[in-house]
């Protein structure tokens, strides 16, 4: 069955969007649409141009017998700035202030479209870096980490505070919570990470950095490499912060029970500029 070009473009776009960072052979598309490789190459050129113009991502074509096409999602700085500004405005509501120096943001992290954009922003920073897995800790960081893993198309590994029988043999580390100064434990399955993997840490909130420090220790236990650490919100008061090299989408300042949410350091870290 022959497909019209318009039909090929729609299906090809959908296929690539759902398989980021995956090399798809041209022969696959040629057989899928019963079309010549030359026609497929022209179609990919149209998709590539449209994706770049709309700031959706890169479509790379790899020549040769084992070549193909690969879609790498990203977000333009203008779109990221607009999104961060809108989220900041939403969170800048003193009714969201919670005892202990936290802010209510579960509604933001429960909206699929917002999570998708957060994932795209985080994935953009690692556009040209090899990431093999995203690591987070249960439970609040899971939605942000999952969105990031989806756009990077890598496994999501979740560290937990207690072992579960379904995890099999586990590796555990103790760490000190910088906010409570309590010794806590986190654990992941021995099957979660392969030695030498490049791991990205993603979490929802950063205060003292104890959680990221603990996750980093887990990465070391597996002889893996830390690619980077990214959080949705960091506090503006570093205090005795245990980590210094991280990316934050938002920064929260609390004074006299009043909160102020502003852009984090993502613009400099991801786009090489400041807001």
């Amino acid at each position: 069955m022959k497909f019209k070009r318009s039909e090929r473009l729609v299906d090809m776009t959908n296929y690539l969007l759902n398989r980021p960072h995956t090399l798809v052979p041209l022969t696959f598309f040629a057989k899928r649409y019963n079309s010549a490789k030359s026609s497929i190459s022209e179609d990919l050129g149209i998709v590539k141009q449209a994706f770049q113009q709309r700031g959706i991502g890169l479509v790379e074509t790899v020549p040769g017998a084992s070549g193909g096409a690969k879609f790498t999602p990203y977000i333009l700085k203008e779109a990221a700035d607009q999104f961060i500004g809108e989220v900041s405005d939403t969170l800048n509501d003193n009714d969201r202030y919670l005892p202990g120096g936290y802010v209510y943001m579960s509604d933001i992290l429960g909206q699929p479209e917002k999570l998708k954009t957060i994932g795209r922003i985080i994935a953009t920073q690692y556009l040209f870096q090899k990431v093999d897995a995203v690591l987070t800790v249960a439970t609040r960081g899971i939605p942000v980490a999952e969105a990031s893993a989806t756009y990077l198309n890598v496994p999501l590994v979740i560290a937990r505070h207690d072992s579960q029988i379904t995890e099999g043999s586990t590796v555990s580390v103790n760490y000190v919570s910088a906010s409570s100064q309590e010794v806590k434990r986190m654990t992941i399955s021995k099957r979660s990470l392969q030695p030498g993997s490049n791991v990205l840490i993603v979490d929802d909130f950063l205060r003292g950095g104890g959680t990221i420090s603990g996750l980093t220790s887990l990465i070391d236990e597996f002889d893996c490499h830390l690619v980077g650490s990214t959080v949705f919100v960091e506090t503006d008061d570093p205090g005795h912060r245990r980590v210094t090299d991280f990316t934050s989408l938002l920064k929260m300042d609390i004074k006299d029970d009043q909160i102020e949410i502003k852009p984090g350091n993502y613009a400099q870290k991801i786009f090489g500029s400041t807001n």
Side-chain angles (χ1 to χ4, degrees):
M1 176 181 176
K2 293 287 289 186
F3 288 80
K4 297 178 181 178
R5 166 160 285 177
S6 58
E7 295 172 330
R8 295 200 305 265
L9 289 173
V10 171
D11 186 74
M12 186 180 295
T13 297
N14 181 66
Y15 194 90
L16 292 172
L17 286 174
N18 286 308
R19 293 164 181 81
H21 297 276
T22 301
L23 185 64
V24 184
L26 295 186
T27 53
F28 170 82
F29 284 131
K31 291 180 180 179
R32 185 178 179 90
Y33 309 125
N34 192 23
S35 300
K37 284 187 179 181
S38 57
S39 298
I40 298 301
S41 296
E42 292 175 1
D43 294 344
L44 286 170
I46 296 173
V47 174
K48 177 179 181 179
Q49 183 178 19
F51 277 22
Q52 288 180 332
Q53 289 178 343
R54 301 299 300 174
I56 297 172
L58 298 173
V59 175
E60 303 172 83
T61 52
V62 180
S66 60
K70 182 173 69 173
F71 165 60
T72 305
Y74 65 73
I75 190 170
L76 297 176
K77 182 178 183 299
E78 293 76 11
D81 288 345
Q82 180 179 349
F83 174 79
I84 293 298
E86 292 172 353
V87 174
S88 298
D89 292 341
T90 300
L91 292 178
N92 271 318
D93 182 347
N94 287 323
D95 289 339
R96 290 180 174 271
Y97 176 77
L98 301 174
Y102 295 94
V103 62
Y104 177 75
M105 54 187 182
S106 296
D107 56 338
I108 299 295
L109 300 183
Q111 299 180 37
E113 284 303 315
K114 285 186 169 56
L115 280 172
K116 287 180 182 179
T117 305
I118 292 170
R120 284 180 63 199
I121 294 174
I122 294 174
T124 298
Q125 182 173 358
Y126 304 96
L127 195 63
F128 302 109
Q129 291 180 259
K130 180 174 173 53
V131 178
D132 298 308
V134 171
L135 176 64
T136 192
V137 64
T139 56
R140 292 190 301 269
I142 293 177
V144 178
E146 183 177 18
S148 305
T150 296
Y151 277 96
L152 290 167
N153 199 16
V154 298
L156 170 64
V157 180
I158 302 172
R160 304 185 185 279
H161 295 294
D162 55 349
S163 300
Q164 297 185 359
I165 191 171
T166 54
E167 295 291 293
S169 299
T170 60
V171 174
S172 302
V173 298
N174 293 327
Y175 70 100
V176 179
S177 172
S179 57
S180 65
Q181 295 302 311
E182 296 178 351
V183 177
K184 297 185 177 182
R185 187 171 74 116
M186 61 174 62
T187 178
I188 61 175
S189 171
K190 284 186 177 181
R191 306 184 187 192
S192 296
L193 295 172
Q194 295 297 317
S197 298
N198 298 300
V199 183
L200 169 64
I201 293 175
V202 175
D203 205 4
D204 67 322
F205 193 82
L206 171 67
R207 176 176 285 177
T211 299
I212 289 181
S213 179
L215 291 171
T216 301
S217 296
L218 275 176
I219 292 174
D220 292 338
E221 288 292 323
F222 281 83
D223 292 325
C224 292
H225 309 294
L226 175 64
V227 177
S229 302
T230 299
V231 297
F232 181 52
V233 178
E234 66 157 311
T235 58
D236 196 30
D237 181 12
H240 297 89
R241 183 168 286 168
R242 301 177 184 274
V243 294
T244 56
D245 188 11
F246 61 90
T247 301
S248 63
L249 273 59
L250 296 166
K251 180 179 289 187
M252 180 177 69
D253 186 19
I254 302 177
K255 293 181 180 179
D256 301 324
D257 293 344
Q258 301 290 311
I259 63 172
E260 179 186 3
I261 305 291
K262 50 191 175 184
N265 65 1
Y266 76 94
Q268 190 277 325
K269 288 281 190 176
I270 300 177
F271 303 104
S273 61
T274 57
N275 284 324

